[in-house]
Amino acid sequence: MNQFSKLSQVVLAIAATLGAHAAATAQDKVLNLYSARHYQTDEVMYETFTKTTGIKINRVDADDAGIVARLRAEGSASPADVVLMVDAARLAVADAQGLFQPIKSAKLDAAIPANLRADATADGVTWTGFSTRARVIVYDPMRVKPEDVATYEQLADPKLKGMVCTRSGSHPYNLSLFATVVERLGDAKGEAWLKGVVDNMARAPKGGDTDQIKGVASGECGVALTNTYYFARLIKSNKPEDRAVVEKVRVVFPNQATSGTHVNIAGAAVAKYAKNRDNAVQFMEFLSSPYAQDYFANGNNEFPAAKGLKADNPAIKAMGGDHFKAETVPLGVVAKNLTKVQQMLDRVGYK
Ligand code: FE
């Protein structure tokens, strides 16, 4: 080895050290986000977070199942700091697999109602809801009276025989709703209710929520279940066929005189092996701010989760989503009842 190559090796070693140091410093200003939400408005909000904190967001987009698979495969080597998922049932399943870590944050405690978060333990809280959506009933006013679909319980009433349409009972949106119904009614009445819903079906469960709304408009279904944002999308649509669907169906926010309408969440948690934990908590707190709440909710026609904030969205207002009584059963019961509900669905033949 000649003098020159020795020198160049020293220079390279110094450069490598400096580079490593630069990387370590950059690491401090980075947040790795695994997201199952993909909206343009979210990106604007993330840019604001980076501008105000200097923390760069690296986003990995996947669907909920893809995120869970990835976190499991990566294990303790996972770069994920924050995980964003849609629906309490999915968050509960990921949590049960040990993919999240509990955090303590006075800001989150103050901003987000406890019923929209995982049950608190001595170590803190794992997942937190940042937007809410209601699971509402849509019906055909030519066939069904509003007073006959005022509650979820009435979906099992023989009056609605041959009229009820839903997507698969095992879909997270339905599992979450059923978990809270079973919590309120108790196991025996809860299962009898599920059986009654199955007995009333117009067809075997199929399709997504929008397909159920369209099923009501076409006359195949008299009554169906949907998340509010799917209906809001139809309200906002410029397509004549979507306008026609909206005109043919009505929306009910169920259980207004009793337990309130079931609401679910899009939410986030700090990943179990987060390398940038402080940045992750800071990001979660940012999501609860009024600024971020507005973007987060409107990105998917949802409602803000933070206390004291209302949906500021014409489509939501048009369907009455800015003033309704929401269920207060903690979404933590979804985790508790999930397996039980799935077994009930098998027993009553809810596909
Ligand atoms: Fe959805």
Side-chain angles (χ1 to χ4, degrees):
M1 194 178 279
N2 63 30
Q3 282 301 97
F4 178 75
S5 74
K6 257 189 197 162
L7 179 64
S8 65
Q9 277 201 332
V10 171
V11 169
L12 283 174
I14 292 169
T17 309
L18 285 173
H21 186 248
T25 310
Q27 188 93 66
D28 296 337
K29 286 290 185 185
V30 159
L31 175 82
N32 294 313
L33 174 66
Y34 282 21
S35 176
R37 262 176 67 107
H38 330 282
Y39 302 111
Q40 294 250 296
T41 46
D42 287 357
E43 306 207 0
V44 175
M45 177 180 77
Y46 297 155
E47 279 165 26
T48 303
F49 176 74
T50 299
K51 271 182 207 153
T52 52
T53 62
I55 299 169
K56 187 172 169 277
I57 296 177
N58 298 319
R59 207 175 73 238
V60 170
D61 287 323
D63 61 13
D64 299 86
I67 286 175
V68 167
R70 190 163 174 153
L71 289 170
R72 286 176 63 102
E74 291 170 343
S76 61
S78 177
D81 294 310
V82 169
V83 179
L84 233 166
M85 297 178 98
V86 175
D87 199 279
R90 292 189 177 114
L91 285 158
V93 167
D95 198 9
Q97 296 180 55
L99 301 176
F100 304 150
Q101 62 171 292
I103 58 166
K104 288 180 177 173
S105 161
K107 271 189 193 164
L108 289 178
D109 292 349
I112 308 292
N115 68 305
L116 301 179
R117 307 180 73 191
D119 289 341
T121 66
D123 298 323
V125 178
T126 51
W127 48 267
T128 296
F130 290 109
S131 62
T132 62
R133 63 280 295 282
R135 197 140 182 80
V136 294
I137 292 173
V138 288
Y139 67 98
D140 177 354
M142 308 291 276
R143 296 171 68 191
V144 178
K145 293 194 205 103
E147 59 266 31
D148 289 337
V149 285
T151 67
Y152 296 112
E153 286 83 340
Q154 285 172 294
L155 294 177
D157 190 311
K159 256 189 194 173
L160 298 179
K161 189 131 200 110
M163 288 209 255
V164 176
C165 287
T166 74
R167 73 193 306 162
S168 166
S170 304
H171 189 277
Y173 300 163
N174 281 335
L175 286 177
S176 293
L177 166 66
F178 301 162
T180 62
V181 171
V182 165
E183 184 70 16
R184 287 192 293 105
L185 301 183
D187 291 1
K189 281 186 181 167
E191 184 164 340
W193 175 74
L194 286 168
K195 173 87 167 61
V197 174
V198 171
D199 289 346
N200 280 346
M201 282 184 182
R203 63 183 185 197
K206 63 170 183 180
D209 283 0
T210 304
D211 297 312
Q212 314 313 315
I213 304 171
K214 289 179 175 171
V216 173
S218 76
E220 190 181 4
C221 318
V223 185
L225 280 170
T226 182
N227 280 354
T228 36
Y229 55 87
Y230 292 110
F231 197 76
R233 277 180 205 163
L234 292 175
I235 291 177
K236 282 185 166 175
S237 172
N238 295 319
K239 291 184 191 160
E241 60 267 35
D242 290 342
R243 308 292 323 153
V245 166
V246 169
E247 270 161 37
K248 282 194 177 136
V249 308
R250 300 288 179 271
V251 177
V252 172
F253 281 74
N255 294 42
Q256 289 303 285
T258 56
S259 55
T261 299
H262 172 67
V263 293
N264 212 300
I265 54 164
V270 177
K272 173 79 184 283
Y273 299 105
K275 313 290 186 286
N276 305 291
R277 191 178 185 280
D278 292 349
N279 295 353
V281 173
Q282 203 179 335
F283 179 72
M284 299 267 286
E285 290 173 344
F286 168 78
L287 287 182
S288 75
S289 68
Y291 166 83
Q293 283 286 291
D294 190 39
Y295 273 95
F296 202 85
N298 281 325
N300 186 30
N301 297 300
E302 293 176 80
F303 324 128
K307 293 171 192 166
L309 300 180
K310 289 266 173 230
D312 182 17
N313 178 326
I316 297 291
K317 283 180 182 161
M319 58 191 291
D322 58 338
H323 59 278
F324 70 94
K325 180 181 168 186
E327 185 177 71
T328 53
V329 176
L331 285 177
V333 308
V334 170
K336 190 185 77 174
N337 291 347
L338 218 47
T339 307
K340 182 164 69 182
V341 166
Q342 189 68 65
Q343 289 166 348
M344 288 179 180
L345 293 177
D346 291 343
R347 281 196 295 265
V348 304
Y350 201 138
K351 297 276 189 295

